[in-house]
Amino acid sequence: MRRLSRKKTLNLMKELDAFPKVPESYVETSASGGTVSLIAFTTIAFLTIMEFMVYRDTWMKYEYEVDKDFTSKLRINIDITVAMRCQYVGADVLDLAETMVASADGLIYEPVVFDLSPQQKEWQRMLQLIQSKLQEEHSLQDVIFKSAFKRASTALPPRKDNSLQSPDACRIHGHLYVNKVAGNFHITVGKAIPHPRGHAHLAALVSHDSYNFSHRIDHLSFGELIPGIINPLDGTEKIASDHNQMFQYFITVVPTKLHTYKISAETHQFSVTERERVINHAAGSHGVSGIFMKYDISSLMVTVTEEHMPFWQFLVRLCGIIGGIFSTTGILHGLGRFLAEIIFCRFRLGSSRSTAVPLPDGHTSNHLPLMTDNSTH
């Protein structure tokens, strides 16, 4: 009984076989079929390699939502070198109401030489080249996001030429915490003195001939400091053509959550518009000489997530490639054989019709002779 049930089970499984096996004696091979098979296998191997490279790659997904965080502080990371001595310049931040001056205790004033060393000039040239490429190819920003990690460094390399020149500039670097409202970070003549009605700078003690707001922005970012991220103003250098010159940067800050396979952080992206002009009250160009960065916070928040193709999707695409190529090459091969047989049959039929048959009266006929009973003997 067990053997009988096994045989029934095997017979049932054979009837359910969706892949019937053809005996080898029924299979006909040909040179054309072998050629098509070789092309199919080569194509499958090539597309499989390409699909595996796509599977290994990642892409950045951007999601937008309203930023509901109004209570946290905004961090501003600053590294700016001004071509004036440190005792002549002061930096501070005013919020939108212009009644609160952010504490500048986090900023360090360091006397330096404004001219860069050869190594530093090479760094600046490469950074400016990257900035120009980012403006042309916006997709490169995804590459920067994916390559950013905590130990990467994009800071200006330290000077190694041991310059004997006395410091003629002031490097202002550090960070500040401000409210998440529009504000104005500025560097101008004289130290800032806050008072109830606003604030002022002690500019009267500085000679007008010493004004020189040529500057270099080695780094400016908002939010958590992420080495490896290149910001729009990094590497910017401006040379003042006049003592009374104002440089303005209008910045729109967008809160950004960055989640990649190497880092997860909350930072801020920003776009900037630059403007510079000479202060001339007689010509109607009013203002104060200095460097002014007016920033505004966007109400939208961007979440940037690095995504990867799931393994099951890779398998489905791979099966589609293999099955599709086999089916397509089989159809093309069958169609080619069908057309070839039609052409060869017409050629043979035409050659047979052109054969001449002699008649008893001396004439010839191009028609095929009829088969008679005498012709079989």
Side-chain angles (χ1 to χ4, degrees):
M1 294 295 294
R2 291 182 177 178
R3 291 183 179 179
L4 184 60
S5 61
R6 287 181 181 177
K7 288 183 179 180
K8 290 182 179 180
T9 304
L10 291 176
N11 292 332
L12 180 61
M13 296 300 295
K14 289 181 180 180
E15 292 179 0
L16 295 176
D17 187 6
F19 307 98
K21 309 300 183 292
V22 180
E24 294 184 359
S25 58
Y26 296 167
V27 179
E28 180 183 358
T29 60
S30 62
S32 61
T35 304
V36 173
S37 299
L38 183 61
I39 295 175
F41 290 141
T42 305
T43 306
I44 289 174
F46 174 73
L47 292 181
T48 300
I49 295 173
M50 297 298 295
E51 189 66 24
F52 181 72
M53 294 176 64
V54 173
Y55 168 72
R56 291 186 57 189
D57 194 15
T58 59
W59 63 89
M60 307 305 294
K61 179 181 179 182
Y62 292 82
E63 296 177 341
Y64 302 89
E65 59 180 321
V66 177
D67 185 15
K68 300 179 181 179
D69 183 12
F70 304 105
T71 59
S72 63
K73 295 289 186 177
L74 175 63
R75 172 170 169 161
I76 306 178
N77 306 297
I78 302 164
D79 191 350
I80 302 176
T81 302
V82 186
M84 293 180 65
R85 297 185 181 274
C86 292
Q87 61 266 28
Y88 296 156
V89 294
D92 59 333
V93 181
L94 266 69
D95 66 358
L96 185 62
E98 295 188 357
T99 57
M100 186 273 295
V101 179
S103 175
D105 296 337
L107 296 180
I108 300 174
Y109 293 78
E110 179 184 351
V112 294
V113 178
F114 187 77
D115 292 334
L116 298 176
S117 65
Q119 183 184 7
Q120 292 174 333
K121 288 182 179 179
E122 181 65 20
W123 170 86
Q124 186 185 41
R125 188 186 67 82
M126 292 299 299
L127 194 57
Q128 291 176 350
L129 179 61
I130 294 175
Q131 294 285 17
S132 63
K133 293 297 181 182
L134 284 173
Q135 295 178 1
E136 298 174 1
E137 299 290 341
H138 298 285
S139 59
L140 291 178
Q141 186 64 48
D142 294 349
V143 180
I144 294 177
F145 279 150
K146 289 189 288 186
S147 62
F149 56 96
K150 295 183 178 180
R151 293 187 179 180
S153 177
T154 56
L156 178 70
R159 181 179 293 273
K160 295 182 179 180
D161 55 355
N162 296 324
S163 177
L164 299 177
Q165 183 180 353
S166 60
D168 58 352
C170 184
R171 178 191 175 196
I172 304 173
H173 59 99
H175 61 272
L176 299 171
Y177 287 96
V178 298
N179 294 326
K180 290 186 67 173
V181 295
N184 178 12
F185 170 77
H186 55 271
I187 302 174
T188 187
V189 180
K191 301 299 181 181
I193 302 178
H195 58 83
R197 294 186 178 182
H199 83 295
H201 289 262
L202 291 176
L205 302 179
V206 182
S207 173
H208 184 270
D209 295 335
S210 62
Y211 286 17
N212 184 5
F213 285 100
S214 300
H215 62 279
R216 182 178 61 253
I217 304 175
D218 297 328
H219 179 79
L220 179 69
S221 64
F222 297 84
E224 183 179 348
L225 183 61
I226 304 178
I229 297 295
I230 299 177
N231 297 278
L233 286 177
D234 293 355
T236 301
E237 183 175 286
K238 299 290 184 179
I239 303 300
S241 58
D242 192 272
H243 294 292
N244 288 333
Q245 193 150 351
M246 173 189 289
F247 296 92
Q248 293 177 304
Y249 299 92
F250 301 93
I251 300 173
T252 301
V253 183
V254 181
T256 304
K257 292 183 178 180
L258 181 61
H259 302 286
T260 68
Y261 290 106
K262 295 182 179 180
I263 192 173
S264 180
E266 294 187 4
T267 182
H268 291 72
Q269 302 180 84
F270 65 90
S271 60
V272 60
T273 302
E274 304 176 14
R275 183 187 177 190
E276 58 182 85
R277 59 189 176 93
V278 176
I279 303 300
N280 189 347
H281 299 286
S285 179
H286 303 290
V288 179
S289 303
I291 305 167
F292 297 85
M293 298 182 178
K294 299 181 179 181
Y295 59 88
D296 192 8
I297 312 297
S298 174
S299 59
L300 291 179
M301 181 176 63
V302 183
T303 302
V304 185
T305 308
E306 185 178 6
E307 294 194 345
H308 188 273
M309 180 188 297
F311 183 70
W312 65 266
Q313 187 175 355
F314 168 71
L315 292 179
V316 170
R317 291 166 63 99
L318 195 61
C319 292
I321 290 174
I322 297 174
I325 291 178
F326 266 117
S327 301
T328 304
T329 52
I331 294 173
L332 294 177
H333 181 242
L335 182 61
R337 290 189 62 180
F338 176 72
L339 295 176
E341 289 177 358
I342 292 178
I343 295 174
F344 285 136
C345 286
R346 287 186 177 181
F347 178 76
R348 291 175 182 175
L349 185 59
S351 62
S352 300
R353 287 179 177 179
S354 62
T355 304
V357 179
L359 298 177
D361 56 357
H363 294 83
T364 59
S365 175
N366 292 329
H367 296 283
L368 293 175
L370 295 176
M371 184 175 291
T372 61
D373 294 338
N374 295 330
S375 63
T376 61
H377 297 291

